[in-house]
Amino acid sequence: MRLQSLPRLGWNALWTTLIFSSLAQAIDVNINDDQSIKNAASTAAYGAMSYYHGNESGQIPGAFPTKWWEGSALFMAMLQYQYFTGDHTYNSEVSLGLQWQAGEGDYMPSNYSSYLGNDDQMFWGLAAMLAAELQFPDRSEGYSWLSLAQGVYNTQVDRWDTSTCGGGLRWQIYTYQAGYTMKNAISNGGLFQLAARLARYTNNHTYYEWAEKVWDWSCSSPLLNNKTWSVADSTNIEDGCESQGNNQWSYNYGAYLMGAAYMWNYTNGTNTKWATAVDGLLNNTLDLFFPTKYGGNIMSEVLCEPNEVCNNNEILFKGLVASWLAFTALLVPSTYDRILPKLQGSAVAAGATCTGNGNNSCGVRWYTSKWDGWTGMEEQISVTDVLSVNLITTKHKGPVTSTTGGNSTSDPTAGSGDKSGQTTPTRKITTGDKAGASILTIGFAVGWVGLMAFMVIGG
């Protein structure tokens, strides 16, 4: 993901526009009625897909030019939506978009690859992995979903950086990107999760070994503390990965938790390492992101929501984590009874926020149980996620594997020809590089603030 210097403003910050909006009925959810949940998810999904234009004449399937990774979040939401509800309305758009952005079989498309981070690519790999696990049909032409996940995995393990901090994946791929000197939780947690899922799906132990390697390195770094089960956002190679960025984001916890759940399931619950990891990470995830002051069963991105400063990326985190919690409940049955009430409480509250703009636009802060004035694709995606996954009550088995119904074609060498972003930098990043990046960021920020002020005050 690219750095975002300022949070996205909600409509409440541009309050004068509200007089032109009318309120719709909330998405009313009877959490004990499957059809009610399906209807609610359908409304939210329609809102999310209304922001997608890749299926229109002259547009590029799967493309979100200024926020490319978010396409993967949208498609993961739609994959889950069709799986849990049985509504295949959006399948053709999802299938084409996932394929169109595949690049040379590893989600490094030439139009966007020059600015992608490891986390951007990883999320598209997880989307392809999800398609394989949910038996989403491979396309008759192009790459299989499994091979795309394998392509992302292969390119990322090739970037594993043992030249600094004893290992780890950098946040960014290229030396000129701001954040290249950082190793962050979501890139490493995401690679850990992807490898664990590939191990379970293919029953290839090499993927398991790599997943464990990423996990063990994460625990040896400041990123993951396997005693307190806290997850730091990042660490920096410039001080030998001694420091840590302690921002607490839900998706960092969720990425490692989901991976640990797959590792537990792959080993049939026989390895206490993964049972301990699931319990520790789940405890912290539920304690931190389901605050008791909101009743204890409604998810909140606690770092940005209270002050209404969440940006587009951060608004998506709850949807991702809701999905990962749901699959954790299926993969590790002992967690089911703890997780389900959290998903149910969040779904009811999230639906209640969808009264905006006369078209069921959903808000960010679910704990308010009313629309908070925020509007966007990201809000719709997260609400779609949390509504859809409440139908785990109808799915009593985890995602399929190659031996339990999965039929996506394997290509263990996918992506091996792509050497983008090898781990050894061509030169050190200089103070000038950093200053240049800062100037560009500040310049954008100033211009953006000016534009917003003009919109509010008027020319």
Side-chain angles (χ1 to χ4, degrees), residues 410-421:
S410 177
D411 181 3
T413 65
S416 58
D418 188 344
K419 301 302 179 183
S420 303

Side-chain angles (χ1 to χ4, degrees), residues 230-293:
S230 63
V231 182
D233 187 56
S234 60
T235 189
N236 202 306
I237 70 171
E238 293 180 327
D239 63 3
C241 294
E242 293 295 325
S243 62
Q244 62 193 60
N246 280 320
N247 284 342
Q248 298 291 284
W249 297 112
S250 64
Y251 79 150
N252 288 331
Y253 284 83
Y256 282 108
L257 171 61
M258 177 79 148
Y262 271 87
M263 297 292 266
W264 183 93
N265 191 276
Y266 175 77
T267 57
N268 296 311
T270 60
N271 191 330
T272 58
K273 176 178 185 175
W274 305 120
T276 301
V278 169
D279 287 344
L281 286 168
L282 180 60
N283 287 342
N284 266 12
T285 301
L286 300 186
D287 287 347
L288 287 170
F289 302 105
F290 293 82
T292 56
K293 65 181 178 181

